[in-house]
Amino acid sequence: MVALAALDGTACLLMLSLGRHAVGMLAPLAVQMDALTQYPPAAGRKLLMDFGAGQGYEGQELRSSLSYLLAHYEQMGVHFDEVWAWEPRPVNQSTYWQGVPPDVKFRLHLYNTGLEGDTTSPAHPIQYIKQNVQAGDFLVIKLDVDTQSVEIPFMRAVQADADLRSRIGEILFEMHYIHQDMPWFIGYGDGISYNDALNLFHSLRHEGLRIHYWP
């Protein structure tokens, strides 16, 4: 069982009564409204980090998360100044870049490597965020690498560090857990319960972080 932030009894009962749809929904109304008044941001850089971006950009597989996110945020008026993409599976560099639009190529940094589980490592993106993302910047993170030993330490670091959270505008996270509704998570969500997932999302939203379940 993964130890995550606890909720009071009322919140737990509310989540259980709502069922699986509670993931990504629960947060004090004041927190939600305050977050919405700050979105999209008026100043600062717009930054996107996609962990688990796919082996192709567009057309080589069912629409990649990266191409989807860029188009989705563009529709909401957010044009990312810089984009980082990590993909641990082999990527054909020539084919990949052929599918990337010209206006994206000069903003995109592609890393064909996985993330390590040690978030304190100087090479971990969390350390880059803490050192380089400034107040006023708007950073979006999508985390879906199908590896608990990477994802859980990443989210624990976010949960434990208020300064780190203040540098993140929005997180989209596919948290793998064991539940009858998610049979395809077998092998990925071992040791994590449905309530663990609810608790994590609720606690981070309670702290004012915009976090959504991906996809």
Side-chain angles (χ1 to χ4, degrees), residues 190-212:
D190 295 347
I192 300 178
S193 72
Y194 174 48
N195 282 341
D196 289 331
L198 291 176
N199 288 347
L200 175 65
F201 277 75
H202 181 276
S203 66
L204 288 173
R205 281 200 161 196
H206 184 76
E207 294 295 335
L209 180 64
R210 291 176 59 89
I211 180 169
H212 315 286

Side-chain angles (χ1 to χ4, degrees), residues 2 16 23 29 35 49 56 64 97 101 106-107 113 118 132 137-138 145-146 162 168 177 186 200 202 208 212:
V2 177
L16 289 173
V23 173
L29 182 59
M49 291 185 172
S64 72
W97 287 102
F106 297 103
R107 296 181 280 147
T113 184
D118 181 9
N132 294 280
D137 291 342
F138 179 66
V145 296
D146 296 337
I168 300 172
Y177 55 90
I186 293 175
L200 175 65
H202 181 276
H212 315 286

Side-chain angles (χ1 to χ4, degrees), residues 101-122:
D103 70 305
V104 175
K105 285 183 177 179
F106 297 103
R107 296 181 280 147
L108 175 58
H109 312 278
L110 175 64
Y111 300 93
N112 192 191
T113 184
L115 295 179
E116 56 183 304
D118 181 9
T119 61
T120 65
S121 167

